[in-house]
Amino acid sequence: MPAKIILLNGAGSAGKSSIARALQEIATAPFLHVEMDVFLAMVPEALQDHPDGLSFETKLEDDRPSVFAKTGPVAERVLSGMRRSVAELARAGNNLIVDDVLFGNAGVHGDTFADYQSLLAPHVFHIVGVFAPLEVLEARERRRGDRLVGLARWQHTRVHEGFTYDLSVDAGTASPGDCARVIKETFGL
């Protein structure tokens, strides 16, 4: 049987990780949760806010900070390795919930979705758009304290440009459990 992969795409603080954990709890078969943040945490501290790793540029949008995260060559290799790790986990028969921030046809970081599509073609692969209003994202971002304030503002609409989703969930009004139930029912997990 081919592995089943659910790719959750949305802005930071949209609730992707919470939805993934909720889905793991209710899915009939076991699903591993693969988080982009775990891979980015592998980048050495010296390359955080560095052009070769991850760098950040803050601009004002509507008189509020909007932070664009740029990936340099080291971070790009890490993210490419993440996609290939996902493919290998799936090839080994693991069902996966992948928690990522993609920019698809927008071309911000290249077309990483096309890379996923190619790598995951032998498997059952669905992409789910995780949406939430900007005000909700910014409130969550401030509460979390582990994000640069403004990342969600920059990603909010850009992260969904160019995508046609198999399913969209509103994580601003629905709980992670409710979103997980919709995903489970829609894809028969």
Side-chain angles (χ1 to χ4, degrees):
M1 296 269 311
K4 295 179 181 175
I5 300 104
I6 303 297
L7 174 60
L8 303 175
N9 184 45
S13 301
K16 297 180 302 294
S17 295
S18 297
I19 293 168
R21 286 189 293 274
L23 185 55
Q24 282 181 303
E25 290 179 20
I26 64 171
T28 304
F31 275 78
L32 304 180
H33 178 198
V34 181
E35 296 179 78
M36 178 185 72
D37 289 347
V38 170
F39 281 81
L40 289 177
M42 294 179 196
V43 175
E45 188 64 34
L47 295 180
Q48 300 293 334
D49 210 12
H50 185 281
D52 288 342
L54 292 169
S55 59
F56 305 94
E57 182 181 334
T58 303
K59 295 181 179 181
L60 289 180
E61 282 185 16
D62 301 323
D63 295 325
R64 293 189 173 191
S66 180
V67 178
F68 171 52
K70 297 178 186 177
T71 52
V74 172
E76 284 294 330
R77 286 193 304 271
V78 168
L79 294 173
S80 176
M82 175 187 160
R83 294 187 297 276
R84 278 139 189 82
S85 296
V86 164
E88 284 302 309
L89 284 166
R91 193 169 73 82
N94 295 291
N95 296 318
L96 307 167
I97 305 162
V98 181
D99 166 351
D100 207 336
V101 179
L102 302 176
F103 291 94
N105 299 328
V108 178
H109 298 295
D111 195 346
T112 54
F113 182 59
D115 199 22
Y116 270 126
Q117 286 178 304
S118 172
L119 291 165
L120 300 176
H123 308 286
V124 178
F125 174 52
H126 299 287
I127 182 167
V128 176
V130 179
F131 290 82
L134 180 58
E135 305 77 46
V136 171
L137 295 174
E138 289 182 325
R140 289 176 181 170
E141 188 175 60
R142 284 190 299 275
R143 266 195 317 273
R144 287 177 68 153
D146 66 346
R147 301 290 162 111
L148 287 172
V149 173
L151 277 171
R153 176 168 286 276
W154 191 87
Q155 294 173 355
H156 177 248
T157 57
R158 291 170 176 97
V159 73
H160 298 293
E161 290 176 1
F163 282 105
T164 301
Y165 292 110
D166 298 315
L167 175 69
S168 295
V169 294
D170 181 352
T173 57
S175 72
D178 290 340
C179 292
R181 277 186 286 286
V182 169
I183 294 167
K184 177 186 178 187
E185 291 168 10
T186 300
F187 302 120
L189 308 177

